[in-house]
Amino acid sequence: MVTFEFFVQEGCVPEESRARIVADIESVCAEVLGAEAGPVSVSWTVIRKGFGFRGGEPSTTSLVRSRIPDGHGSDVRAQFLRSIAETWCNLTGATEDEVIVSARDWSWAG
Amino acid sequence: MPFYRCLIPKDSLTYEQREEIAVAFTDVHCGLSTAPRSFVQVAFLETDGSGEVADSHGSGVLRYDTPYFIAGGNRAGRSEDTKRLILGGLIGKFSEIAGVPADMVSGRITEAPASWTMEAGRILPEPGAEADWLEEPAAAA
C-alpha cells in the first residue's frame, strides 16, 4: 500500500484539479514502484491562508508526504520523488521550489 | 524539512502571533543547526481537541494532552542534545509569544532520512552538508 498526505496552502491547488492529481499520482506509483505496491490512499490537509509559513514568510509551498513499501533502492526512490514532483508541478502550476516530496519506508517508525 | 505543525485551539492565536512564532521557530531551528531558513516550514492547524495527529515523518499517530502541541518532523542525523535544544527552544518561544504557560505546550519531533525527501528538485542533504548542497547547480543533483 502507498499512502499520501498532501499539505497544501489555501488557494494553491484548485479543488477541481484534485481528482486528476490523484489519478496521475496513482499512475506514477504503478509505473515506478510496480503493481505490487498495492492500492494508493490519499488525504488532503488545507493550510488556511495566514496559517502557513516558510522561512518565517507566508508560504505557497505544498508538502507531499508518502509512505511506500520497504525495499526500494535509492535510484527508484529518487525516480519516484522526481516523478511525483513533476506531476504535481504540471497539474498545479507550482514551481519546482514550491513542492517538497518525501517517501518513507512503510516500516519506518520515525 | 523541517516541518513544524502547531496544533492549536480555534481562534487562539492572531495572525501577528502566528507570524512571530513562525519567525521564532525559524530562528531557533537555524540557530541550532546549519539548515537554511528556506527549509523551515511552519503550519498552524486549528484542532477539534482530539489529542492526536498523524505522524508526518514516522508511522501511526502522535498523542498529546496539552491545549497546544508542536508536531515536528526533521531530517535524521542530529545529536540528542541538539534535538532536545531545538524542541525546548520551540516550546519556549511558542509559550512566550502565545502568552500561555509552558506546561500548556508540548511537542515531539520525529525524523526521517534526508535522502527520502526532494526539495526544489533535489534530494536533501544530510544535516551539516547544506552549504555544499546550496552551492551545487540544480542540474548536478
Side-chain angles (χ1 to χ4, degrees):
Chain A
M1 183 172 187
V2 181
T3 63
F4 285 90
E5 305 157 274
F6 299 147
F7 296 93
V8 300
Q9 309 295 332
E10 183 179 7
C12 290
V13 180
E15 187 83 36
E16 57 271 22
S17 66
R18 293 185 185 178
R20 174 73 188 277
I21 290 170
V22 172
D24 283 14
I25 279 180
E26 285 175 340
S27 296
V28 169
C29 291
E31 288 166 15
V32 180
L33 302 178
E36 63 274 19
V40 175
S41 168
V42 167
S43 69
W44 295 83
T45 298
V46 177
I47 300 167
R48 290 167 53 195
K49 204 172 283 292
F51 284 68
F53 299 85
R54 179 177 187 171
E57 304 286 338
S59 177
T60 55
T61 299
S62 297
L63 291 96
V64 176
R65 303 203 57 81
S66 67
R67 297 175 70 197
I68 63 175
D70 292 9
H72 293 289
S74 57
D75 288 350
V76 171
R77 193 188 306 269
Q79 184 187 348
F80 178 72
L81 296 174
R82 187 165 293 110
S83 296
I84 295 291
E86 286 173 359
T87 298
W88 188 271
C89 290
N90 288 341
L91 295 177
T92 66
T95 67
E96 195 176 51
D97 191 46
E98 289 178 310
V99 59
I100 299 170
V101 186
S102 72
R104 60 194 188 276
D105 281 355
W106 192 262
S107 66
W108 179 258
Chain B
M1 289 215 253
F3 183 32
Y4 293 117
R5 288 173 294 164
C6 300
L7 286 298
I8 62 174
K10 185 170 170 45
D11 298 329
S12 59
L13 297 178
T14 65
Y15 175 81
E16 288 74 21
Q17 286 174 309
R18 295 192 300 270
E19 182 181 45
E20 191 176 348
I21 289 168
V23 171
F25 277 23
T26 306
D27 292 342
V28 167
H29 187 91
C30 298
L32 291 166
S33 73
T34 51
R37 295 181 72 80
S38 64
F39 275 16
V40 183
Q41 315 281 337
V42 181
F44 296 85
L45 302 172
E46 293 183 329
T47 68
D48 58 4
S50 64
E52 64 179 40
V53 61
D55 187 346
S56 67
H57 285 59
S59 59
V61 297
L62 305 176
R63 293 190 171 81
Y64 57 95
D65 58 5
T66 53
Y68 300 88
F69 183 71
I70 301 164
N74 286 351
R75 287 171 293 160
R78 296 193 177 94
S79 70
E80 290 302 321
D81 272 355
T82 300
K83 289 189 275 188
R84 190 172 57 248
L85 286 170
I86 289 174
L87 183 57
L90 300 179
I91 290 174
K93 283 296 181 185
F94 188 102
S95 167
E96 176 189 325
I97 297 165
V100 298
D103 62 5
M104 291 177 65
V105 186
S106 61
R108 180 155 172 221
I109 295 174
T110 55
E111 299 178 322
S115 63
W116 291 359
T117 297
M118 180 171 284
E119 182 163 335
R122 296 191 289 162
I123 297 294
L124 284 181
E126 296 296 320
E130 294 89 348
D132 289 344
W133 187 86
L134 288 168
E135 288 175 6
E136 287 171 7

